[in-house]
Amino acid sequence: MLPLRLAWRQLRAERARLFSAIAGVMFACVLVFMQLGFRSALFDSATALPQAMQGELFLIHPLTTALFRPETFPRVRAYQTLALPEVQVAVPIYMAQAIWRNPVNGTHRAIQLIGFDTEAGAVSFPGLDALIPALKRPDTIAFDWKSRPEFGPVPALLAERGPFQVEIGHRMVEIVGTVALGASFGADGNAVMTETNFRRLVKNRDTSNIDLVALRLRPNADPLTVQKQLTALLPGDVTVVTHDQLVAWERNYWETATPIGFIFAFGSLMGLIVGMVIVYQILFADIASHLAEYATLKAMGFSAGYLRLVVMGAAAILAGLGFVPGILASTGLYRVVAKATLLPLRMQADRGFVVLALIFGMCSIAGLLAMRKLRDADPADMF
Amino acid sequence: MADHPVALSNVGFSFGEGALRRPVLRGLDLTVEPGEVVLLTGPSGSGKTTLLTLVGALRAMQQGSCVVLGQELLGAPESARVALRRRIGFIFQNHNLLGFLTARQNVAMALELHPDFGDEAARLGMAGEILGRVGLADFADVVPAKLSGGQRQRVAVARALVAGPGLILADEPTAALDRQSGRDVVDLMRGLAKDRGMPVLLVTHDPRILDVADRVVAMEDGRIVG
Ligand SMILES: Nc1ncnc2c1ncn2[C@@H]1O[C@H](COP(=O)(O)OP(=O)(O)OP(=O)(O)O)[C@@H](O)[C@H]1O
Ligand SMILES: [Mg+2]
């Protein structure tokens, strides 16, 4: 406590130095928050499709890396799950990419098609329920209004002239409405339709092979128990996963198989290194300009450990004083950026704790480095 | 012998290594009686400061025996030396006060090392009291930068004495001061030390203050000569 107080009094005495140190810590803090925020927002949007699925359990091919390019498995696996009384519904899901023709300027772009029994209730995207009757008609789709703008101003056109025709994979289909899903790294846009319409649209596809199965269980069934039973029951060409595992599966692909995770980790590290150098220089300058006083304290009988605590105390104070404005500024920045980019950026408590720990670690390392300067305070030189 | 606060016998000390090795103290003997004020004089380079750093446990001993307040310093570990320093009051040529603390807080720092002086309020009270004794009652809550040289050195004297050390070591405490301030500082130091029966070992070149001593010891070329 006393070393901490001494550290605070020393820091307080040099206002300009103190403020530049706080600004340095705050800068590192904001940088790390932004990097981690973007990272998590991108992963969140990358996993929008599995997040929107409603099932308790899912079947997926073990070799599927990500949902935008799934490995197929036999449709019969879906029906085999019904052997267990706990399984209420099994909904096969088809996925494919097809070429979309922009209704305004005619440019082409790949769109992700998702086909399933829209009435089974295992997959639900905001806006879908109201469109279920209309989607029963042949050659109809629901368009994801969060798709990238390159697909054309579909929501505006719908509002203007009602349902209209577009060309997907050289076939004319009718857009009957919009759902909310979101573009991801793997798919720039999405279109949702019934299984029947999917078959009409994707001709060259063997419909006895499917990409994903969503399972709804009876209300009091335990998903983990059923997961074990199904795993024992089904052959090795499918893996049974829970909803969380499905999301994690998708997320894991983007984290490990792409440089995205690395890029943001690298950005965070840069921020921490810059912050550490600033804090180190401030602490070092504080020791260097008080060498005679530190040596006097040693002569008076203060131990080297006490003086090290003073330095670490100063480091901890700087960490705390920089973190508070840092987290406030980051929360504000998140709001601004979220508004501008539509990315799901939000301040989260667990991220706050992670950054707090990182900032304290950063300042501690700076303190440990600066501490070496204390050796130059030799009480024998004092007389 | 054991009740002497300072007892040195046959102390030798050299700076440098190998061919550059230069002896600074050679076979030096010195004792200080309880409550005695001893003044150490001698030409520049004769080893006075070196001797003081050995007695103050600021430097490791090389040769001979140096017993200070009952602690043998030859071969003493760093922890024993740190512990001994807490029982010695140091007054340096420069005041070396912490610039970001007030006079009172600077003095109270010396009490922080001793748990028996009570809490912060008690420490600040004691510090204020001794600052009054050195004539700085009105300057207790002022930072060193706003004090004169003589006032700062009086704060340093207060800091050295406040914890009731068993020995006071001072190296040219008047060198940076004018005649009158220097006189005031040594008089204060002697007065406080005598009141409390603390022995003082004081190095000085200043002939004007020789009269504060009970005994004057002259050094030359690393030895006591009289
Ligand atoms: N840290 C050191 N390293 C090497 N030599 C030193 C060191 N300190 C002192 N000396 C040498 O030791 C000798 C004694 O120095 P010391 O400081 O003890 O003299 P002094 O009697 O205090 O002199 P002064 O009256 O000028 O203060 C000098 O020749 C000096 O050059
Ligand atoms: Mg000297």
Side-chain angles (χ1 to χ4, degrees), chain A residues 3 33 96 118 122 125 128 148 167 202 239 252 320 362 369 373:
Chain A
F33 265 123
T118 48
F125 306 124
L128 182 63
R148 292 194 51 82
E167 188 187 318
V202 189
T239 303
N252 178 56
M362 170 188 99
L369 291 174
K373 184 69 182 165

Side-chain angles (χ1 to χ4, degrees), chain B residues 15 22 24 43-50 172 205:
Chain B
F15 283 110
R22 238 165 32 78
V24 174
S44 185
S46 57
K48 305 182 297 290
T49 296
T50 307
E172 306 191 31
H205 279 131

Side-chain angles (χ1 to χ4, degrees), chain B residues 23-38:
Chain B
V24 174
L25 302 178
R26 322 155 195 257
L28 185 145
D29 299 311
L30 175 70
T31 52
V32 176
E33 304 291 330
E36 189 186 25
V37 176
V38 175

Side-chain angles (χ1 to χ4, degrees), chain A residues 4 76 115 127 144 151-152 185 196 210 243 246 248 255 261 265 270 273 291 307 312 320 342 351 359 362 368:
Chain A
L4 195 67
V76 66
D144 171 17
F151 290 91
F185 298 123
T196 324
I210 54 178
H243 186 254
L246 184 73
E255 270 181 9
M270 283 295 124
I273 288 176
L291 269 189
L307 298 184
M312 290 315 277
L342 293 180
R351 191 181 307 146
I359 293 293
M362 170 188 99
L368 288 172

Side-chain angles (χ1 to χ4, degrees), chain A residues 235-249:
Chain A
D237 58 359
V238 287
T239 303
V240 187
V241 292
T242 63
H243 186 254
D244 286 347
Q245 286 168 338
L246 184 73
V247 174
W249 187 300

Side-chain angles (χ1 to χ4, degrees), chain A residues 131-319:
Chain A
L131 300 176
I132 288 174
L135 284 172
K136 281 186 200 156
R137 281 184 277 143
D139 292 319
T140 53
I141 64 158
F143 180 78
D144 171 17
W145 66 265
K146 285 177 155 180
S147 301
R148 292 194 51 82
E150 287 82 354
F151 290 91
V154 175
L157 292 175
L158 271 174
E160 201 176 295
R161 46 172 131 133
F164 63 98
Q165 301 270 316
V166 289
E167 188 187 318
I168 299 179
H170 304 297
R171 191 179 175 95
M172 294 309 288
V173 294
E174 186 190 0
I175 301 184
V176 295
T178 58
V179 295
L181 188 49
S184 70
F185 298 123
D188 290 338
N190 301 288
V192 177
M193 65 215 69
T194 62
E195 206 182 299
T196 324
N197 280 328
F198 182 89
R199 287 186 206 171
R200 287 165 185 262
L201 201 47
V202 189
K203 286 269 169 38
N204 55 355
R205 171 76 186 253
D206 177 359
T207 51
S208 62
N209 280 333
I210 54 178
D211 301 294
L212 187 69
V213 174
L215 302 178
R216 294 310 304 255
L217 305 184
R218 294 204 187 279
N220 47 8
D222 172 37
L224 294 180
T225 316
V226 179
Q227 182 184 24
K228 278 202 199 88
Q229 290 169 330
L230 285 176
T231 305
L233 183 76
L234 296 171
D237 58 359
V238 287
T239 303
V240 187
V241 292
T242 63
H243 186 254
D244 286 347
Q245 286 168 338
L246 184 73
V247 174
W249 187 300
E250 189 75 2
R251 192 185 176 94
N252 178 56
Y253 170 79
W254 296 108
E255 270 181 9
T256 57
T258 67
I260 297 164
F262 173 77
I263 288 167
F264 288 112
F266 188 76
S268 306
L269 188 69
M270 283 295 124
L272 290 173
I273 288 176
V274 170
M276 190 198 74
V277 169
I278 295 174
V279 173
Y280 166 74
Q281 291 197 327
I282 302 284
L283 293 176
F284 184 92
D286 252 344
I287 299 172
S289 62
H290 291 106
L291 269 189
E293 287 88 340
Y294 278 112
T296 307
L297 290 177
K298 278 189 183 173
M300 285 164 67
F302 285 92
S303 64
Y306 184 98
L307 298 184
R308 284 199 284 267
L309 279 179
V310 173
V311 176
M312 290 315 277
I317 291 170
L318 292 179

